[in-house]
Amino acid sequence: MNRPETTKFFSAGVSLLALVLLAAPAEAQGRRGRRCLAPSGGNDTTRLQAALDRCSGAQAWCEVRLCRGTFHTEPLRVGDFRGRLRGSWRGGTVIQALPEAPVNGNPDGYWLDDPLDPGLDPWPYILQFIGGRGEVRDLTLEVPTPPEGQHPTQGWTELYGVTKEMAGAILITGQDPVSFDVHDVRVVAGSYADGFLDSTLLSGVSFRGLIHNPADPGGFPVFPVRGRYRIWDSEVTRTLCGTQLGELDKAEVVIAENDFESLVAVDVLDGSRSRVSVYRNRWDTGFVGVQVILNVDGEPSVDNTVLVFRNRGTVGPYGGYGSGVYFADPWILPEPGNTTLSVFGNRMTVGTTEEAADTAVEASGAGRLWVGANRFRGRAVTGLRIDDTSGCRVYWNRLDGLDTGGGPHLDLGRETSDCLAVVGPDDIVNDDGTNNQVIVR
């Protein structure tokens, strides 16, 4: 099956609280009587950048507190941030990207340049954290519809040519292990007729490897991202991807209790020895709820654990495709990647009355696979499509509300073996594998 090529992108103990503010008249009285940085009504880039820089390499836990109101800014970037960026509340504090933002226009890709080089324009993200340990919470990031004749950015190069959308709202990356929480944050994209999906913003929050390496200026990431990343109780609307993960290594990722309105809610590209938990999220997507593609660049992607459980959502077909959960490990290594995938307790509606989705769950190449206790409704060509795995367990899924038009509710491919499946009496099963056992109850 041909799919659109996915773009390759990619506290501990607190001894002292240092409140970071600029001098008056920028200070104001926030909620609960706390001092905070107030918007100026004009371009706030310099003031916001200075506040973030004061938390760069901070010895004690540092906080940048923003007052209620709208801050207008060009892209911000900070290295080794150590602290918290906090607004008054989600929707109360808004960081809004200015149109025609200057961004890195390297014709070979911005990711080949040092993201912290002061002589170069920043990468096309509103907030960029390169290394460190921190938290972003209680605020909104917005790339609004630009005025007529203008664009979100001045333009940058991606795999398909020059684009002028913003690549993302927040980027978290770094060569050394990082640790970041994104909590109670809203990401909002505006309408942009010249952009992909008529959106000003491609991704919400990205946690991915650092591609820039002065010793090796070519190729893709050589510094996989390590550490911890959590996003919860947040909202991303009108983007290509809700949250994007790439080039993980020994990373712990939690994506929980968020609302995503995007083409893909969660996108994972390559990872090793990492654990990704996606649970209790709600999404309205046009293509995939959770997409995991490993070994895209030929580097080993091994020994991961991916948990997708208790999520709710709808998945509409895009270009004739669409899956609630899509997993692919091509096994280009001499041995399988040995990634564990568990899809459990989810409730999703796939497809529309006009067009069927491709699958509810599609998994190929998992080292260990469990698909259980899910309920799928709607329309799909195939309910559960499984291949290239041995010893999988498929049980107690409710597929009776899924219209497959006479196609299989469960399709066990030729490269499956020793799988155990428990299905309903009306489920249509196609078993082309070896030594699989299908029990009808």
Side-chain angles (χ1 to χ4, degrees), residues 8 22 91 96-97 120 125-126 198 207 218 246 253 256 274 310 330 354 373 385 392 435 439:
K8 180 74 178 137
L22 296 182
Q96 188 179 95
L120 298 173
Y125 294 81
I126 304 175
D198 187 28
F207 179 70
V253 175
S274 296
R310 297 187 66 185
E354 293 79 20
R385 182 182 293 150
C392 65
N435 201 34
I439 299 173

Side-chain angles (χ1 to χ4, degrees), residues 20 49-64 77-84 116 128-133 180:
V20 176
Q49 185 66 63
L52 293 171
D53 286 342
R54 294 189 185 183
C55 292
S56 176
Q59 296 300 309
W61 188 254
C62 178
E63 182 166 285
V64 179
R77 52 184 169 179
V78 58
D80 196 23
F81 182 84
R82 295 179 177 269
R84 177 185 296 118
L116 289 174
Q128 302 159 65
F129 296 98
I130 298 93
R133 308 174 67 87
F180 272 85

